[in-house]
Amino acid sequence: MSLLAFWRRYRFAALLFSLCLIAVLLFAPEANSTQPDRVNSAVVAAENSAINEKQSAIPAGGMTENVGKIVLDNGLTVLTKEVHTAPVVSVQVWYKIGSRNEEPGVNGIAHQLEHMLFKGTSDRPIQFGRLFSALGSESNAFTSYDQTAYYGTVERHKLRALLTLEADRMHNSLIDPAQLESEKRVVISELQGYENDPGYRLSRRVMQAAFPNSPYGLPVGGTKADVQKFTVDQVRQYYRKYYSPDNATLIVVGDFQTAATLQAVKEIFGNISKVSRGAEAGSTDVNLRTKADNLTQLAPVSSINQNPIVLREEGSAPLLNVVYPLPPVNHPDIPALQVMDYVLTSGRNSRLYQALVESGLTSDAGGYTSNLIGAGWYELYATAVPGEKLRKIDQTLQQAIADLQTKGVTPEELNRAQAQFVANITLGNRNITNQAIQLGDNETTAGDYRYIDKLLAAVGEVSTADVQRVAQEYLKPENSTVGYFEPTQITQGDTGTRNAGQTSEKFNLGPPVDPAEVAKYLPEIEVANTTSERGLPESLKLGNGMQVLLVSDRSTPTVSLSGNISAGRQFDPATKAGVAELTADNLINGTKTKDALTLAKVLESRGASLGFSASREGVSVSGYSLKTDLPVLIETLADVVQNATFPTDQLELSRQRGITDLKAQLDDPNYLGFRTLQQQIFPQNHPFHSYPTLESLKAITRADVVEFYQTYYRPDNTVLALVGDFDPQEVRSLLEKHFANWTASGKPPQIDFPPVAAPAKIVRLNPVLPGKTQAVTVIGNRGINRQDSRYYAALVLNQILGGDTLSSRLGTEIRDRLGLTYGIYSYFQAGKQPGLFIIDMQTAAEDANKAISSTIALLRQICTSGVTAAEVETAKRSLTSSYSVSLADPDSLTSQILMNEVYGLSREEIRNFPQKIQAVTLEQVNQVAKELLHPDNLVVVTAGPDVT
């Protein structure tokens, strides 16, 4: 399953493996991607009292004040939490089984078992992903060190159906020999995908050395060698032993009535018998007594920094990885260790950012604490900029830690770290899925769903002396395990791109899944209650032309801010490609009245955040804060978009960072594949053809950045959306006050978009990267824009074709039947301008051509034979249901209303979208397939290993 979405930012390697990406990491500090400037002024006086404001954001009874807990007669623990902010509900089942319950030889079996629980049950012998898709559920699963969890979020009237499906696979799952063999290939594909990343490989080696006698030193997903040897008896044995109600916690959070829901839970789960913990029948191949069963204390291996683990392989940049052992989750030092981590790694003002990134030694630096049932660890990482040595970076990191140990922390640092921690927890619990994950993690790992409240209180009591003490006790050099990744061949994107030729294999496609077959196994769905129509965002236009959309939502004391400025990469001159991104990255590096460090302290002291990121068509603005800090967030945004000064020293640091990042991207098959596809389809004179190069980044001057900023950063090019706990009139007054002086003359700049010709035939390209084990294939052709009248029919078509790996035709054929890929998806890049229609997948090198041939054959089948009326109706129900669920998340709602405005849609689109999907007909879908898929006019790019 795929790694946590924060993998690249936090190097949280192998902690969570999931069917899709999870956007939750409860205690990891947020790494800032923008370089800070010199300190030349003091922060605002209110900073030192920020922690008090943060603690007031927590409800008087704590985060868990209305959580209920019961234990059924069969041992199932049930947690419920009513949250009536949106008509959705999240159902999660957490099992106390993870890689902690493994040993060499069966490493990865918990992860393999997680895969198998989607393959059907004796009552429902069908891919469960299709059932979840039919419900419109945002469903997922992950395996970690201490637990495996399954979760889904649906409209509230589908709660009982989701409970029924989870109960079914708790005790009726099929572990079929043929399905296991196919799914083992899928798991190996997944593992090989992670192996493409040098950071993953280094982290795995370091963890193995740090914990050689513990299952915590094993990779969560397992190894190819072990996965290949798994037998049906082994996997069934693990299922029988660990998938039992007395080893599970059921969490229900959302819009429901507790009494009725508990009655349903007892009816649905109450008759499932708990498993005897004696020897299971058929136990012949595996010893279930693991090192974890008697784990009391981990004995780390000492690693002197002068003798680090050195991994010399192909890659793009030198990497540093350091691990220190820490105590388990319920140790009394955990609160102080959390604060210590925030002081060292969270934000621009953190010790390691200042020592490593601000000094120009590294392009990034960060870390995280992991505290589990049996042990914990503190992992730190950094990426060297060109020309810097890992030994020097390692010594600088150790000196920063030594300074903390000898000199301690300041009250200002303590207050800021505490405020950041409290704010991150509050902001991380804005949607019900995250709230349920918080409960599940606390109950299964810490043994108490109220753990988060206790931790928040304890963090508030941590003193400067506490932080210094734990740094001295746990960050001793002799206890660390240090790893260096030293590239033997620096890949810079200049490796050969080979013409892979035409695909000639012929394969017989399996039959499409009949939606009637899915419906046969779908639990009964209750009749939906009548709900009021969704309110529309309040729209206002300031005198300078800036468009603003407001949605007041009092459900949590937080605010989400999202924005779009029409200053994206499409405006890059070909010889200065990268100037849009360099401008966005440097916006917050200083203004006329505040340097970068001051700007950062104003936000970080409150746990607020503000960031800018250049995309193809615009610059994305992302901000979060507690409600009390919204004025500061707006004031800071207004300051940087009007008064950025782009200090030369910070610009140079950003350039070096950009060069390092580009080298890493060009060593990533995912990035290289998409870049090659885009540049093959869009001609050289098209704005979407341009991408940064090492040469173009070096050619950009400060004058180029200032000119770009002055030309494209205009109020009449800007749209803002805010969702959260605020009074709209007060927000309007704040905006008018702080943006009144931001004006622009003349009309906004425009650019020409030349026509894009379709490929005359299938074009195959194979950019080869050394050292990669997994191939990434992207297939594409011309697409449509968001205003295209065919857009809604195209969405329905895409849902059928590849909108969801586990329920689509592509997923059914390429993943489930053939077992060639871990994931395969299709989508339309529909923006203000036409983008591409894309299919992407990852395969072993030897499977790439077969997967490509089968994919193209399936496209031809749909173009000639069409899809069925039943498929169209199922896809429409799935799209409209999942749309309703997604809008229950404040971040998704903010983004949706923003982009509707950017794309020139009406405010009513947020309300009318489901009706537009429901109006799509079978004829429209089949016509769109013929007009948009073009199976004989595709560009096929396979990046990574040589597949010719």
Side-chain angles (χ1 to χ4, degrees), residues 627-920:
K627 68 174 185 178
T628 53
D629 299 323
L630 179 58
V632 174
L633 184 63
I634 290 176
E635 181 179 0
T636 304
L637 171 61
D639 191 16
V640 298
V641 298
Q642 296 175 79
N643 302 312
T645 54
F646 304 103
T648 301
D649 57 346
Q650 295 303 316
L651 191 62
E652 290 308 311
L653 284 174
S654 290
R655 187 200 312 278
Q656 288 301 312
R657 180 177 182 155
I659 289 172
T660 303
D661 290 347
L662 178 58
K663 289 180 178 179
Q665 290 170 338
L666 293 173
D667 187 47
D668 181 349
N670 292 282
Y671 174 86
L672 185 59
F674 279 98
R675 176 173 173 147
T676 304
L677 177 72
Q678 298 271 353
Q679 292 191 312
Q680 180 67 28
I681 294 179
F682 292 112
Q684 287 190 359
N685 62 338
H686 195 286
F688 292 173
H689 180 89
S690 179
Y691 275 85
T693 65
L694 298 180
E695 293 71 26
S696 70
L697 288 176
K698 293 174 182 177
I700 297 169
T701 66
R702 181 180 180 277
D704 295 326
V705 171
V706 172
E707 181 183 4
F708 192 91
Y709 172 68
Q710 293 173 343
T711 302
Y712 297 106
Y713 282 74
R714 304 164 51 106
D716 52 354
N717 263 354
T718 301
V719 181
L720 292 182
L722 292 96
V723 174
D725 190 359
F726 55 75
D727 177 82
Q729 186 55 48
E730 291 179 0
V731 171
R732 179 171 189 151
S733 298
L734 282 170
L735 294 170
E736 290 175 339
K737 173 184 176 182
H738 292 294
F739 288 94
N741 294 327
W742 192 25
T743 60
S745 60
K747 293 183 178 180
Q750 301 294 321
I751 51 176
D752 294 327
F753 290 87
V756 179
K761 60 180 181 179
I762 294 177
V763 178
R764 289 286 310 273
L765 299 172
N766 180 205
V768 177
L769 292 172
K772 304 306 178 186
T773 59
Q774 189 79 170
V776 173
T777 296
V778 287
I779 302 172
N781 57 32
R782 296 178 306 177
I784 58 177
N785 65 24
R786 181 59 178 86
Q787 291 273 14
D788 195 299
S789 60
R790 299 170 294 180
Y791 175 76
Y792 302 97
L795 283 186
V796 175
L797 168 66
N798 186 71
Q799 181 68 15
I800 296 167
L801 175 64
D804 184 334
T805 288
L806 297 184
S807 63
S808 64
R809 282 207 187 184
L810 284 172
T812 298
E813 180 68 18
I814 313 301
R815 186 189 193 276
D816 276 0
R817 193 176 80 85
L818 300 177
L820 298 178
T821 181
Y822 160 59
I824 182 167
Y825 297 91
S826 65
Y827 55 92
F828 287 90
Q829 294 177 321
K832 288 188 284 187
Q833 297 295 325
L836 299 180
F837 166 70
I838 294 177
I839 297 170
D840 74 89
M841 58 182 158
Q842 67 177 57
T843 65
E846 63 270 20
D847 292 334
N849 289 325
K850 182 176 181 180
I852 292 166
S853 295
S854 299
T855 297
I856 294 174
L858 194 148
L859 292 177
R860 290 193 179 113
Q861 179 190 70
I862 288 180
C863 286
T864 56
S865 303
V867 299
T868 68
E871 284 180 305
V872 169
E873 292 305 311
T874 299
K876 292 192 312 188
R877 285 195 299 270
S878 178
L879 285 170
T880 55
S881 296
S882 60
Y883 178 76
S884 298
V885 171
S886 71
L887 294 186
D889 183 337
D891 288 346
S892 295
L893 176 60
T894 310
S895 177
Q896 191 68 59
I897 64 173
L898 171 77
M899 297 316 295
N900 285 348
E901 181 70 27
V902 170
Y903 294 146
L905 307 173
S906 71
R907 284 193 304 147
E908 287 73 19
E909 179 69 14
I910 194 76
R911 177 188 292 170
N912 295 339
F913 176 85
Q915 288 73 35
K916 292 181 179 180
I917 291 292
Q918 289 296 346
V920 171

Side-chain angles (χ1 to χ4, degrees), residues 22 164 184 320 376 420 626 753 778 870:
I22 307 169
T164 300
K184 282 160 65 174
L320 172 68
Q420 288 174 315
L626 299 180
F753 290 87
V778 287

Side-chain angles (χ1 to χ4, degrees), residues 215-283:
Y216 288 136
L218 301 173
V220 171
T223 64
K224 179 180 178 180
D226 280 0
V227 171
Q228 287 176 323
K229 294 184 294 185
F230 292 156
T231 67
V232 170
D233 284 346
Q234 285 177 315
V235 179
R236 286 175 177 169
Q237 186 177 356
Y238 262 73
Y239 176 63
R240 286 195 296 267
K241 178 172 184 179
Y242 292 105
Y243 279 69
S244 175
D246 60 328
N247 198 46
T249 299
L250 170 68
I251 303 112
V252 185
V253 175
D255 191 15
F256 62 88
Q257 298 300 317
T258 300
T261 297
L262 287 177
Q263 182 59 39
V265 167
K266 292 174 183 177
E267 294 171 4
I268 294 169
F269 286 88
N271 293 327
I272 301 175
S273 300
K274 60 183 176 181
V275 174
S276 169
R277 291 294 181 246
E280 283 79 40
S283 176

Side-chain angles (χ1 to χ4, degrees), residues 602-629:
V602 167
L603 296 171
E604 291 171 6
S605 65
R606 293 162 168 78
S609 66
L610 178 66
F612 301 86
S613 175
S615 59
R616 187 168 63 186
E617 292 189 329
V619 170
S620 298
V621 184
S622 178
Y624 307 95
S625 76
L626 299 180
K627 68 174 185 178
T628 53
D629 299 323

Side-chain angles (χ1 to χ4, degrees), residues 71 83 137 340 386 461 477 495 718 792 803:
V71 179
V83 182
S137 173
M340 178 199 75
E461 297 299 320
T495 52
T718 301
Y792 302 97

